[in-house]
Amino acid sequence: MKIKHIEQGSDEWFEFRKGKISGTRLGDIYAKRGGRKQGFYEVIAERLAIDADEENAAARGLRLEEDAVIVFEQVYGKKVDRVGVCVSDAHESIINSPDGLIKNKGKYTEALEIKCLGSASHIEAVITNQVPDKFTTQKIQYFVVNPDLQTLYFAFYDPRIASVPFHVIEVTRDSLDGLPEQFLQFQLEQLREIDTIVEELSF
């Protein structure tokens, strides 16, 4: 074992810890059932000399979203229509707010969802090439609300990562194995129950 005589809590101490596994960080990396936790990707981000995120995630997303749309249009050669909210024909309370829609032969058969995440999460999406589980229902809702939708481009954008600032995962309706239909029925059932309870509680 080597000893580094660095004052804990000092700038030098924080700098030295970057890209390393400390006792504290071990808990962010170790997973009982294997796999990788967020800390694994944070170490990679630090090794790439990317500072920890201090910006509010929502503010960051809004700030970078338009740039990401432009990059997508350049890479894919597709025109993205920006809209507010899409409402399901099945029920007016089933909605989706897409980051973009792409029209083909008069119908919106493609859509764009943009995520401008922290660098660790961005790197995770690039390495795993999977939409993170926390976005599963959001991903499915695109297909629930728009029955014409065939492909969702789930895009990740972080210009600080020069080697891979933009990464897209294509999600097709076929790959969801009937989940949009299941989630539509689930939402209709929930809304019926909600309507009943609201009616009972209304005086």
Side-chain angles (χ1 to χ4, degrees):
M1 182 178 78
K2 298 174 182 175
I3 302 290
K4 294 286 184 182
H5 294 288
I6 302 172
E7 182 184 350
Q8 290 195 17
S10 66
D11 290 344
E12 184 184 1
W13 182 76
F14 281 112
E15 190 64 31
F16 182 79
R17 290 164 58 91
K18 284 183 178 179
K20 299 178 178 68
I21 301 174
S22 64
T24 303
R25 173 159 280 167
L26 180 58
D28 297 329
I29 295 176
Y30 175 71
K32 288 182 179 178
R33 294 188 178 90
R36 292 171 175 163
K37 291 175 70 177
Q38 187 72 9
F40 176 84
Y41 302 102
E42 288 172 357
V43 171
I44 294 173
E46 288 177 0
R47 294 276 183 94
L48 293 172
I50 298 165
D51 291 330
D53 296 302
E54 295 181 1
E55 184 177 8
N56 175 274
R60 174 180 168 74
L62 287 173
R63 180 172 62 81
L64 293 174
E65 187 175 294
E66 194 60 43
D67 291 344
V69 171
I70 292 170
V71 172
F72 175 85
E73 289 181 326
Q74 291 173 343
V75 171
Y76 279 82
K78 295 176 182 285
K79 182 183 180 300
V80 176
D81 292 340
R82 306 300 297 273
V83 300
V85 178
C86 297
V87 181
S88 170
D89 289 334
H91 197 292
E92 63 182 13
S93 291
I94 298 176
I95 65 171
N96 166 241
S97 297
D99 290 329
L101 295 174
I102 301 159
K103 189 175 285 185
N104 293 292
K105 297 180 180 178
K107 293 184 177 182
Y108 286 118
T109 60
E110 297 176 307
L112 174 64
E113 174 63 26
I114 296 166
K115 294 297 178 190
C116 301
L117 308 174
S119 294
S121 296
H122 180 88
I123 290 168
E124 179 180 2
V126 170
I127 291 174
T128 63
N129 197 39
Q130 293 181 351
V131 175
D133 289 343
K134 63 183 177 182
F135 301 128
T136 296
T137 52
Q138 183 182 21
K139 171 182 71 178
I140 293 171
Q141 190 75 339
Y142 269 87
F143 295 89
V144 170
V145 173
N146 180 4
D148 293 323
L149 185 66
Q150 297 303 314
T151 303
L152 170 62
Y153 299 97
F154 217 99
F156 299 85
Y157 181 63
D158 187 345
R160 295 171 301 177
I161 303 178
S163 57
V164 193
F166 188 69
H167 183 72
V168 175
I169 298 170
E170 295 186 19
V171 181
T172 64
R173 181 176 290 275
D174 289 344
S175 72
L176 296 175
D177 295 325
L179 283 174
E181 291 73 24
Q182 293 175 34
F183 272 78
L184 172 60
Q185 291 308 311
F186 171 77
Q187 291 177 77
L188 290 172
E189 290 168 7
Q190 295 299 300
L191 286 166
R192 281 194 291 270
E193 187 173 347
I194 289 167
D195 288 343
T196 300
I197 293 171
V198 169
E199 187 174 344
E200 290 174 352
L201 294 177
S202 298
F203 300 102

